Structures are given as structure tokens and as C-alpha cells.
Amino acid sequence: MNEVSPAIPDSGEDRHATWLELFFDLVAVAGVAQIAHLLHGEPGPADLGQYALLFLAFWTAWICFTLYGNVAGEGTHARTVLAAMFGMAVMAAAVPGVHEGENGQARALALAYVVIRMLANRAWRHRRELLVDWPAAQMSLGVIPWIVSLWANEPVRYRLWALGIALDLWVTFTVSARDIIENRKAHDKREERHSRRRDTVPPVSVAAPHADHLSERLGLFVIIVLGEGVAQVIEAASEATWNRRLYGLASAAFFLLVALWSLSFRHGYAGVPYLTARSLPARAALPLHCLVSGCLAALAAGLGAAAEHPDTLPTGTRWLLCASLAGYFLLTGIAALRRPDGVRRWMLSVVLPCCALPLLIAGFGGGLGTLAVVWLLVAVTLWPTFYESRYSKRADAVSRPGA
């Protein structure tokens, strides 16, 4: 019977995103833009739920092939990746129709998602490797509700999609590496039993992602999301009357996006603020990346809506801006739990006020103008960097001889 080979260590070679991977990520640009547009206007609970569901589905499809390219390297099958790229383009194009309740577009999106997941499963089986860090990439349990949804209508269709995402998360957090290996060994044993010749099934190895390359791909996705924020403001400004109020709002939006970029990359890892390399296992770091990206995409949609209302923000837009920023900092707190020192001080001095202040602005800022709301959010976003610099200077002063 075949045995599973030991884990492959990270080779440490200097790898970067290939032209094929960058071409693949262009679809992520279109997908994030289409999904972010779901939150235009004054989004209600149904719009937010649909946004979260479609963003999770799109990100899941993207990460399956991101991990495949990461592990396969030069052995990546270009035709398989391009086929998945076409499927993601179909998903992105179908998003507006899904939002409007069109059955044809909804079925097209579900079918494209199923095909992408099946392609990923087939690619991993062809490589005879087990990705124990993210088992949902090569397990099809979460795809079954999506297949059933091809014959369902609203609202059952959306419930089935949510069930499929929930099953993927359940597999990710509950199925251990040992379970994955044992299941594959049992599957190989059945294949050997039904084959004419013994030992015809090649051995299976445990795949280990290339950490630096994966960090680069994850960071590129966050850059795409931040770029969508810039695009949303530009699109809204191109159709608005240019005056001093619009100039101030565009400047505030730009400063906010720059501050978020600084937190995510100058003070973060893989686009996640205050995350450090290998401080969290992939099963925790990847969902954190997904949620951070989702909050930033929602914030981008809110900035675009704010540029359309330079005088006073609608209540729904104000809540979208403030709640997405509060969620971003809540996730920052989770990523910072592995800080080597001062975790409690960091939580009380940075995470708590950065989560609470945006929510207070959302709840009691109805009398504030659009410009005031966005500049207040800029001040909240700059606070962690300001606190970090002051705390570092104080720590250096205490550590000096004779202090």
C-alpha cells in the first residue's frame, strides 16, 4: 500500500508572482469591483448579506488556484488556470444580475463556481499532493449545495450558497491533517483494490506552501482592493461638481487609503495589519486575510458613495464606512494577539478606541457633514501609527543606560 511522504519544507528560493498569476489576478480586479458595487446607494441588511456571500465565494475560488500555483510552481498547468480564470470572469459578470434577481445570471454564477472548484480538485488530484493547511481547496463537500442550487430559486438559492461556504469553513477548521492523510490512504487503497495491477497508484505527498510567494499573492489581492477604493472615488468625482468640498473629500479619502495601506503593508504581513510571518497557522491567517479584504472592499464602496454625497452622508453609507473600518481594526486586534510584548496595552490603547470611535461616529454622527466624517476616520486610522511611534520612543528611552 502507498505511504504518504513527509511534509515538504519551504525551499527558501526567491519566488515571485509569474505573468500567468498576475494575469489571473486581473480577474480579481473585475470581481472586487463588481461585488463592491452591490453596496452603492443605501445598502440594507439584504444587500450586506449578499455582498458577504458573493465576496466569500469569489475569494474562495481565487484562493484555491492561488494555492495551487503557489505549490505547483513551474509545474502549474496554464490551461487549467486559464479555464478557472474564465470561470471567475463569468462569476464577476453575473454579479449585477444576481443582485437584480435574474435566475439566468444566478445559475451561471453557481455553475462557474462549481466548475472552478472541480478544476481545483482535479488539479490537486493530478499532482498527488495533500494541502493540509487549507483542505477546502481540494475537498468538494462545500460544492454540493452549489450544485443543488442550480435547480433552486430565491431565497433557497442563497441559503444553499451560504451552506456551501459554511461547509468549507467547517472542513477547514475541523478536519485535521491526520484525517486528511487517512482519508487519502483509504481512497488509494480502494483504487488499488479495483485496479488490475497492484501498486499502480503513485504515492501521495504533503504539500507545504511557499511562504514568501504566498505572502506576495495575498498582498497583491489587498492592493487590488485598496485600488478599488481609489477607482470608486475617481468614478464618483468624475460625475460630480468640482468645488472646495469635493477637493477636501477627495483628499480625505486619499489619506484614509494611504493610512490603511501603511497599516496593512508597512506594519503588517500579506496585507493583514500587525500580522507577522508564521505567527498564525495558514488555517487562521487565510480567513483573516479574507475578512480584512472584505472590510476594505466595503470601505471602498463607502468612499465612492461618500463622494456622491459631499454635503451629508446617508445613514446607510455612514454606517457602511464606519462599521467596515471598525471591523478592520477588530481583525487587526486578532492578528496582534501574537505580538511579543504589550498585547494588553495594545488592545486597550489602540484596538478598543479604533473599534469604538467609528461606531460612535456611525451612531451619533448624523449631524456631521461628509467631510467631517471621513476626516475623523482618517484620524482614527492614523492613531495606531502615532501610538506605535510614541511607545517605541518611550521604550527606547527606558532602555538607555542611566534612564
Side-chain angles (χ1 to χ4, degrees):
M1 179 181 161
N2 296 317
E3 295 295 332
V4 179
S5 67
I8 303 172
D10 196 353
S11 62
E13 60 178 326
D14 188 17
R15 277 184 58 194
H16 296 284
T18 64
W19 293 116
L20 176 62
E21 290 171 327
L22 294 175
F23 190 32
F24 182 78
D25 286 345
L26 283 178
V27 187
V29 177
V32 169
Q34 292 283 64
I35 296 170
H37 274 82
L38 297 178
L39 300 179
H40 272 203
E42 291 193 58
D47 298 316
L48 292 171
Q50 193 176 71
Y51 164 81
L53 179 60
L54 292 178
F55 189 90
L56 284 169
F58 193 84
W59 184 90
T60 300
W62 176 82
I63 198 64
C64 285
F65 275 88
T66 295
L67 290 168
Y68 166 65
N70 174 270
V71 172
E74 295 182 356
T76 301
H77 288 182
R79 286 178 297 180
T80 303
V81 175
L82 292 174
M85 181 178 174
F86 180 80
M88 291 184 64
V90 172
M91 290 181 65
V95 167
V98 172
H99 185 56
E100 295 171 3
E102 297 290 339
N103 287 330
Q105 283 90 328
R107 289 192 175 96
L109 186 145
L111 181 60
Y113 180 81
V114 170
V115 170
I116 291 168
R117 294 294 301 273
M118 292 303 181
L119 284 171
N121 185 277
R122 182 176 177 272
W124 283 107
R125 286 191 175 278
H126 178 76
R127 288 193 59 81
R128 304 294 300 169
E129 289 180 314
L130 297 176
L131 188 66
V132 296
D133 289 328
W134 192 254
Q138 52 191 156
M139 299 181 72
S140 303
L141 180 63
V143 182
I144 296 174
W146 287 80
I147 297 175
V148 177
S149 74
L150 294 172
W151 293 272
N153 295 316
E154 297 181 13
V156 177
R157 175 191 298 124
Y158 300 136
R159 293 171 183 169
L160 288 169
W161 292 358
L163 176 61
I165 297 296
L167 287 175
D168 280 333
L169 293 175
W170 178 79
V171 166
T172 298
F173 291 112
T174 62
V175 178
S176 65
R178 179 177 296 178
D179 292 336
I180 298 172
I181 293 172
E182 292 299 326
N183 288 338
R184 179 53 65 90
K185 288 167 70 175
H187 178 270
D188 289 348
K189 190 174 182 179
R190 289 194 299 269
E191 284 189 356
E192 291 175 1
R193 192 179 298 129
H194 289 89
S195 63
R196 293 183 179 180
R197 296 175 55 190
R198 296 286 179 177
D199 298 323
T200 57
V201 180
V204 177
S205 61
V206 176
H210 189 289
D212 293 337
H213 176 263
L214 181 59
S215 169
E216 182 182 19
R217 294 294 306 281
L218 296 175
L220 284 172
F221 191 91
V222 175
I223 285 290
I224 288 170
V225 174
L226 291 173
E228 178 58 25
V230 176
Q232 293 267 356
V233 175
I234 291 174
E235 181 181 356
S238 65
E239 300 176 357
T241 301
W242 287 32
N243 51 34
R244 291 183 179 180
R245 194 180 299 274
L246 182 63
Y247 298 153
L249 181 59
S251 300
F254 180 75
F255 274 107
L256 180 59
L257 292 170
V258 169
L260 291 169
W261 164 81
S262 179
L263 287 177
S264 294
F265 291 95
R266 300 179 68 182
H267 301 276
Y269 178 78
V272 179
Y274 296 101
L275 181 69
T276 56
R278 299 178 179 84
S279 62
L280 290 175
R283 295 196 190 201
L286 289 178
L288 202 60
H289 173 270
C290 175
L291 295 175
V292 165
S293 301
C295 288
L296 289 175
L299 184 70
L303 288 175
E308 295 174 356
H309 301 86
D311 297 322
T312 304
L313 278 177
T315 303
T317 304
R318 187 176 70 253
W319 271 102
L320 175 64
L321 272 172
C322 297
S324 57
L325 188 64
Y328 174 86
F329 279 111
L330 178 62
L331 297 167
T332 297
I334 297 174
L337 289 175
R338 294 296 184 91
R339 287 172 63 92
D341 59 344
V343 174
R344 181 177 299 179
R345 180 193 297 270
W346 177 262
M347 291 295 175
L348 293 176
S349 303
V350 175
V351 176
L352 181 60
C354 287
C355 290
L357 288 176
L359 296 179
L360 290 174
I361 295 170
F364 302 99
L368 296 174
T370 301
L371 190 60
V373 170
V374 179
W375 275 115
L376 283 172
L377 296 183
V378 172
V380 170
T381 309
L382 291 174
W383 169 244
T385 304
F386 177 74
Y387 174 83
E388 187 88 355
S389 62
R390 287 194 60 188
Y391 183 74
S392 299
K393 290 179 181 179
R394 187 180 303 172
D396 291 341
V398 172
S399 62
R400 289 195 198 113

